Amino acid sequence: MSKKIILSLVLVSAFAACQRQAAEPEVYVPAPNPVTTEPVYQGKYGAN
C-alpha cells in the first residue's frame, strides 16, 4: 500500500514540476539619463 502512495506522490510532483509557469510580461522602464554639458576644448595643455 505504501508503494502506491509513494508512486502517486512521485507522479503528482513530476506533473506539477512539468507545468508551465505563468509568464509575467517584462516591462522595460528606461532610466533617465543625466543632463551633462559637452567638454570644452581648452587647447593642447588646457591653458586657454
Side-chain angles (χ1 to χ4, degrees):
M1 185 69 177
S2 65
K3 288 183 181 180
K4 289 182 183 179
I5 294 173
I6 292 173
L7 179 63
S8 64
L9 288 175
V10 168
L11 289 175
V12 167
S13 63
F15 181 74
C18 291
Q19 292 296 313
R20 264 206 263 175
Q21 301 274 333
E24 295 181 11
E26 294 184 19
V27 178
Y28 175 71
V29 179
N33 293 333
V35 178
T36 58
T37 59
E38 290 187 16
V40 179
Y41 180 70
Q42 296 180 351
K44 185 175 182 180
Y45 299 106
N48 286 348

